[in-house]
Amino acid sequence: MEGLLVPVNVERLQVSLADAAAEVADRVLGAVGGAEDIGLADYVHTGADTTTVLGAVRLIGADVFAPHVLLGRPVHRDDAAVVARSFTVYPPTPQPTTRQQHVTAWRDWAVGRLLARTDETSPAGSDAAPTPETAAALLDGAKTWQEWSATAAQLSPLALPGVGGPIVAAVFAGMRPLARGVTRAVLRRDFVTAARLIRWMALSSSNGVRQPLDPVLLVERIRLYGGTGSRLALDLAISRVLLRMEPA
Amino acid sequence: MSVQHTFLPMVAAADEQSAVEALMVEPEAGVSDAPRYVEIPQALALLKLKLSPPLPEDSKH
């Protein structure tokens, strides 16, 4: 039997996860744009590979709650159950040590924090707050603005109202590296990263933080020049709501 | 039947777990983070090259 075993193609796994994440992002985008709920549970029942779908839910993270925190829509009980189940199937790292694990731990924390608003019990580990020291280490002012903005882009699912915490505070204190990072990403035509950083600008702007750049113009530029992809479209849609822009 | 009862997997395989963790911290999920601009080590030397073909000399009648 040993000869029949085929090693799992990690790249294929990542493509499947990215495709499923795009589908989840489309559903969230539809909910932000007017649909009643996300329909995560429906997606699970479509016959797609359940493990992959749950992995995609973990990838999208706190953004699945965007319709709830941005527009006040209720979270469907079954959708909350899907989010909770995704943490059972893909459990958080119990003791994060590396930078990447700390980034993931903060993203998980945001999901747990928003999941706690629902009737669903947060799964073990998802709502355990990483220490504030790890937030300071991730977004340390001593880092180069390139490193700083790359980390801020990875933490962009936390750029939602109602998340709060030391990561949000650290980003709000870093408008200059944020603006540099956005400028660099736009010039590199890395619109995915740009859209993620613009979310931070939009959230901080909605909280009255003064901006070196105009996030409204940036959102329009990304939409016109590079606005393709489901997750990018979701990032832009979230920014539009935060900035009180008209729907695209 | 609740959603919880319809799920089959209990815990993802190690490869699936690591794939998700990798994508969660990748700036562009599913896409390489390769530099968008091609690095040209000899950029100055290239700039000195005459890329345009030489203009034809005036024909003398």
Side-chain angles (χ1 to χ4, degrees):
Chain A
M1 285 297 290
E2 191 173 338
L4 297 176
L5 292 176
V6 178
V8 176
N9 186 333
V10 175
E11 286 187 10
R12 186 179 300 173
L13 269 177
Q14 291 190 345
V15 169
S16 300
L17 284 164
D19 288 345
E23 170 66 26
V24 174
D26 278 337
R27 288 171 176 267
V28 179
L29 185 61
V32 171
E36 288 187 358
D37 53 41
I38 304 170
L40 284 181
D42 293 340
Y43 184 30
V44 170
H45 292 300
T46 57
D49 181 80
T50 308
T51 311
T52 304
V53 173
L54 295 176
V57 171
R58 292 282 274 116
L59 282 179
I60 298 298
D63 284 356
V64 298
F65 297 105
H68 172 62
V69 296
L70 291 173
L71 305 168
R73 303 260 176 78
V75 180
H76 195 285
R77 183 181 176 185
D78 285 349
D79 289 347
V82 170
V83 176
R85 187 67 185 180
S86 73
F87 276 84
T88 307
V89 176
Y90 293 90
T93 304
Q95 297 291 333
T97 51
T98 66
R99 191 193 73 84
Q100 293 185 344
Q101 288 173 343
H102 286 309
V103 167
T104 304
W106 278 108
R107 289 170 57 128
D108 292 344
W109 169 80
V111 177
R113 190 172 174 88
L114 297 180
L115 189 62
R117 290 181 167 202
T118 70
D119 293 334
E120 190 67 36
T121 304
S122 294
S126 67
D127 56 350
T131 62
E133 289 76 18
T134 62
L138 285 172
L139 296 168
D140 184 0
K143 287 186 184 301
T144 66
W145 59 267
Q146 292 95 332
E147 292 174 306
W148 190 98
S149 58
T151 303
Q154 291 172 341
L155 291 164
S156 64
L158 279 74
L160 283 173
V163 173
I167 291 289
V168 173
V171 175
F172 281 15
M175 286 301 107
R176 186 177 292 271
L178 182 63
R180 286 175 167 169
V182 170
T183 305
R184 174 176 181 263
V186 170
L187 290 174
R188 293 179 70 227
R189 302 179 67 81
D190 181 358
F191 296 126
V192 172
T193 300
R196 293 177 181 183
L197 292 175
I198 291 169
R199 271 183 62 170
W200 282 117
M201 297 183 80
L203 181 70
S204 55
S205 178
S206 69
N207 280 270
V209 180
R210 192 175 176 186
Q211 303 293 314
L213 301 174
D214 186 344
V216 173
L217 294 177
L218 286 164
V219 167
E220 276 303 280
R221 182 179 177 87
I222 301 297
R223 181 180 71 84
L224 292 170
Y225 283 83
T228 58
S230 302
R231 297 182 68 182
L232 186 149
L234 177 59
D235 284 328
L236 291 183
I238 290 171
S239 291
R240 295 187 85 89
V241 175
L242 287 169
L243 295 167
R244 301 178 184 278
M245 297 170 66
E246 292 293 322
Chain B
M1 182 168 55
S2 74
V3 172
Q4 303 253 3
H5 291 139
T6 62
F7 290 138
L8 295 177
M10 293 305 293
V11 178
D15 286 336
E16 293 168 324
Q17 179 83 29
S18 57
V20 167
E21 288 172 358
L23 288 175
M24 284 179 84
V25 292
E26 195 175 47
E28 299 177 19
V31 181
S32 167
D33 189 34
R36 296 304 178 94
Y37 285 138
V38 177
E39 296 287 342
I40 305 176
Q42 301 297 327
L44 287 176
L46 284 172
L47 286 174
K48 291 178 182 175
L49 289 176
K50 292 180 179 177
L51 298 178
S52 303
L55 294 173
E57 294 181 2
D58 290 338
S59 59
K60 296 179 180 178
H61 299 286

